[in-house]
Amino acid sequence: MRERQTKEATEEQEGRGARRAPAGADHHHHHPHHRHDLLGLQGARGNAAVVQMLRDSGHPPAIQRAVTVGGAKVEDPVQHLMSSGMDTFLSETGKVVLGYLKRPDFPASLDVKDSDELLIEVDKIAAMIDLVHSINSSGILGRRTMNQQGIAHTGSNDAGNSTALAVNVLDARTAQGPDDIQDVVDQSLTSRDNGSFSVAMERPQQEDMILADLAEVSDGGGLSAAELEGLRKDAAGDESVLGMLVNHMKNQKLSDAQSEVVARYTALLQARTQNTAMAIIDNPGGDVANLSAGTRAYESDVPADVIPAGGAGGFTSLVLPGWFEPYKLLLMLREWPRGVDLAFAGTKQITAHYRAAGQDWPITVDAPDYGSEIGKKLQEFKLIATHILKTSGSI
C-alpha cells in the first residue's frame, strides 16, 4: 500500500485467459456473455481482432475516435507534440498510447485543451498501463525487495528502506449486516492511520509543495495591533489571561491558514487518489491474515514482501479507476495472468486524511469507488486483504 512501483518488469506471466469482474451497474454497461471471449482474444490476437469481434457481435466501437486538441482533430498526435518540442517528454508507453488513439478502429477518444494537457493525459494513461504490466509480471513488491532488486520507486511518509510490504486485512466474519460490512470498508479506505486513500495522499516530506506552503504559513501567524488591543480589553488587566488569549488566537489563526492551504490543493490530492489501483486478495493466507475473528480491519505485513498475480497467496482482483476504462484494450497488448479479475470502479466522494506538519488534515475528494468492489468481496469471502498502489504518474 505504501509503495509505488515505477519500473516496468520485463517478465511475462504465464496464462492467456482473463476473467472480468462485473463492475457496479450504476457506472457501466457491459455485455457479460462476451467478456471471457473478448479478453482472451485481446491477449491472443491483439486489438484488431477485438474490434472485429465487437462489430460482428453487433456492438460497434464508440463513434468518437480521435485526439482533439483545442477543439481541432489531430491526425498524428506524436507529430503534433514534435511540432511544439514536447515529444522528448513522451514515454515509450505514451507513444504506444498515441499510436492506438489515432487509429480509426480504436474505441476511445481524447479531448484536451492544449499540448500540455495532451502530454499530461497521455502520461497518466501510460503510467497506469506500466503499473498494471509491472505488477502482473513481477507481482506487487515491497520496498525491501525493490531495493534488493534495484527497482526505482518512491515511498511515502513511512520512510525506511527495510519497510515491509503491507496489506489491509478486512474481516467481516462476525458482521451482522450491510452496515457492519460498510464500517469495515470505511475503516480500511479512509481511516487516518491505515486507510488506503489516506496513505495515497501522503508524499515524501522533502518534495511536497503543500508542506512548503504550510511552512511559510507557520512562519507568520502574528497578531495585529487591533487584535492585541481587543484581547487586552477582554483580559481586563490580567496578564496571565492575556497570555492565554494571545496563544489561543495565534493557534486558531495558524490552524485556519493551514486548513486554507490544504484546501487549495484539493485538486492535487484528488489527482493522487485517481492515479491508484486496488489489488484484492480473496483468500489471504494465514501468514498475512493472522488475526482473530472480529478484529475488523488492520494493516498486516506480508512476510514474503511480494504479492504475486493470481495463484496461492496472490491478488485475485485488480480494480482500476473508471477514467481508465476507455483504454482497457491497451492492457491486452500483453497476456493477462490467470486467476486475476479486472474491474473498474466508479467515482465516489470520500473524506480521507492528508498527513503533514505532524497533523492529519481531512480532505474531501472524488475518488475511485473501491469500497463497492471490496464490499462485494467481503459479502462473498468474509475475510479479504487489499493493497492500493500509486502509478509513477501520480503528482
Side-chain angles (χ1 to χ4, degrees):
M1 164 169 42
R2 300 184 180 223
E3 306 297 338
R4 186 171 50 170
Q5 290 174 242
T6 60
K7 180 181 179 183
E8 180 180 345
T10 57
E11 302 173 21
E12 292 283 350
Q13 190 79 4
E14 293 185 357
R16 287 188 178 275
R19 295 172 293 126
R20 193 185 194 290
D26 291 341
H27 307 294
H28 310 292
H29 302 281
H30 299 298
H31 306 283
H33 56 288
H34 290 299
R35 284 180 192 148
H36 185 274
D37 291 342
L38 179 60
L39 291 181
L41 189 62
Q42 287 165 347
R45 294 174 53 197
N47 178 64
V50 172
V51 172
Q52 189 59 51
M53 180 179 177
L54 287 170
R55 285 174 174 159
D56 293 345
S57 63
H59 302 290
I63 295 174
Q64 228 180 0
R65 298 182 299 273
V67 174
T68 306
V69 180
K73 182 178 178 180
V74 175
E75 296 292 345
D76 190 337
V78 175
Q79 183 62 40
H80 176 84
L81 289 176
M82 288 179 64
S83 66
S84 54
M86 301 178 67
D87 59 303
T88 56
F89 300 104
L90 194 61
S91 69
E92 289 304 311
T93 306
K95 293 176 183 177
V96 172
V97 171
L98 285 178
Y100 273 85
L101 283 173
K102 74 177 183 179
R103 291 170 53 163
D105 60 350
F106 190 73
S109 61
L110 191 61
D111 186 5
V112 296
K113 63 182 179 181
D114 53 30
S115 298
D116 286 342
E117 188 177 359
L118 174 62
L119 191 64
I120 291 171
E121 289 301 309
V122 171
D123 180 63
K124 179 181 176 182
I125 298 165
M128 187 63 72
I129 294 170
D130 286 343
L131 173 67
V132 172
H133 284 168
S134 176
I135 65 177
N136 278 350
S137 59
S138 61
I140 299 169
L141 309 179
R143 185 178 298 167
R144 184 173 56 225
T145 297
M146 285 192 284
N147 282 325
Q148 291 171 352
Q149 297 184 10
I151 297 176
H153 66 281
T154 302
S156 58
N157 286 345
D158 58 338
N161 290 337
S162 62
T163 304
L165 174 60
V167 296
N168 272 4
V169 178
L170 289 79
D171 184 3
R173 289 174 293 183
T174 61
Q176 299 299 308
D179 289 345
D180 288 347
I181 288 180
Q182 188 60 47
D183 287 345
V184 176
V185 172
D186 291 343
Q187 183 180 356
S188 173
L189 288 176
T190 58
S191 69
R192 298 181 180 185
D193 297 325
N194 66 331
S196 294
F197 279 130
S198 296
V199 172
M201 287 185 179
E202 294 181 4
R203 291 291 287 172
Q205 296 185 9
Q206 65 270 20
E207 64 178 50
D208 200 308
M209 293 178 286
I210 302 178
L211 283 174
D213 278 12
L214 285 174
E216 186 175 326
V217 167
S218 300
D219 289 340
L223 303 184
S224 66
E227 289 171 330
L228 283 172
E229 182 60 29
L231 293 179
R232 287 193 181 95
K233 291 181 178 178
D234 293 338
D238 191 321
E239 290 299 320
S240 62
V241 171
L242 176 61
M244 288 188 292
L245 291 176
V246 168
N247 287 333
H248 176 75
M249 180 171 281
K250 283 184 176 180
N251 290 336
Q252 185 61 53
K253 289 186 68 175
L254 178 60
S255 177
D256 291 345
Q258 290 175 331
S259 295
E260 189 276 330
V261 167
V262 175
R264 278 194 282 113
Y265 283 96
T266 295
L268 174 68
L269 297 173
Q270 181 165 298
R272 290 181 185 171
T273 63
Q274 288 287 354
N275 283 279
T276 60
M278 173 73 79
I280 303 175
I281 305 172
D282 286 347
N283 294 290
D287 56 342
V288 172
N290 54 350
L291 73 166
S292 58
T295 53
R296 300 175 70 80
Y298 83 131
E299 188 175 89
S300 171
D301 289 343
V302 176
D305 209 44
V306 178
I307 305 173
F315 64 90
T316 44
S317 295
L318 189 60
V319 187
L320 306 183
W323 65 261
F324 184 79
E325 187 166 12
Y327 313 102
K328 62 182 179 289
L329 296 183
L330 294 174
L331 295 178
M332 303 307 158
L333 299 179
R334 296 191 182 187
E335 294 182 12
W336 193 263
R338 283 195 182 102
V340 178
D341 291 338
L342 176 63
F344 294 90
T347 297
K348 183 178 181 180
Q349 196 169 73
I350 57 100
T351 299
H353 295 82
Y354 175 73
R355 187 167 299 161
Q359 193 170 343
D360 287 313
W361 305 87
I363 309 290
T364 299
V365 296
D366 293 325
D369 187 15
Y370 295 141
S372 293
E373 296 297 325
I374 61 179
K376 288 184 289 187
K377 291 289 185 180
L378 275 176
Q379 288 277 6
E380 182 177 359
F381 296 100
K382 301 304 180 184
L383 180 67
I384 66 172
T386 67
H387 181 93
I388 196 168
L389 301 105
K390 288 180 286 187
T391 71
S392 61
S394 300
I395 304 172

